[in-house]
Every structure is written in structure tokens, then in C-alpha cells.
Amino acid sequence: MESAGIGWIAAIIIGGIAGWLAEQFMKSNMGILMNVILGIVGAIIANAILGIFGIVLGGWIGYLIAGFIGACILIAVARMIRR
């Protein structure tokens, strides 16, 4: 998060927005806390995956995009495990 140029409070806010967007896109039903967790963890996972391919997303918008992509991946994986 520090390498993206945002602080912890901004990471929580952006993570919550990214998690909420992923929740709406994947038609899932989770609470606010889970949205924040999905957004933050999703951003970490997506940045790691994108880093393998040499893609670096920085700043607020990059963190939001990475959080959204990662949260969607986490929701999809959770659905596969449940079934």
C-alpha cells in the first residue's frame, strides 16, 4: 500500500469501494467489513498477479482497479469452494 502512494485510511476507504463494486458486479451479498477486507486483500493479490506479467498499477485509481479485480477473483474462488 505504501508503494502505491496511499496511506492506511485511504486503503480502507478505497478497499471498501473496490469490495462494494466487486460485490455488485458478482451479485454477492456481503457486509461492509467483508467488502473492505475483500478490497484490500484483493488489491494485494491482484497486484501480485499483475506484477508477474510486468503490469504495475499505482496511485488511487490503480489501487481501486486492482482491488476490484482481486475481490472478484476472491469471490469466484469462494463460490467454487462452497460448491
Side-chain angles (χ1 to χ4, degrees), residues 7-25:
W8 285 101
I9 294 174
I12 291 170
I13 293 168
I14 296 170
I17 294 169
W20 179 79
L21 288 172
E23 177 185 59
Q24 299 301 310
F25 182 75

Side-chain angles (χ1 to χ4, degrees), residues 29-80:
N29 187 16
M30 300 179 189
I32 293 173
L33 180 62
M34 193 62 175
N35 286 342
V36 172
I37 293 170
L38 276 175
I40 293 173
V41 174
I44 293 168
I45 291 172
N47 278 326
I49 293 170
L50 293 173
I52 292 171
F53 297 106
I55 300 170
V56 178
L57 300 175
W60 293 60
I61 300 297
Y63 190 79
L64 180 66
I65 292 168
F68 173 75
I69 293 169
C72 287
I73 291 170
L74 289 174
I75 291 171
V77 168
R79 285 182 180 170
M80 288 188 329

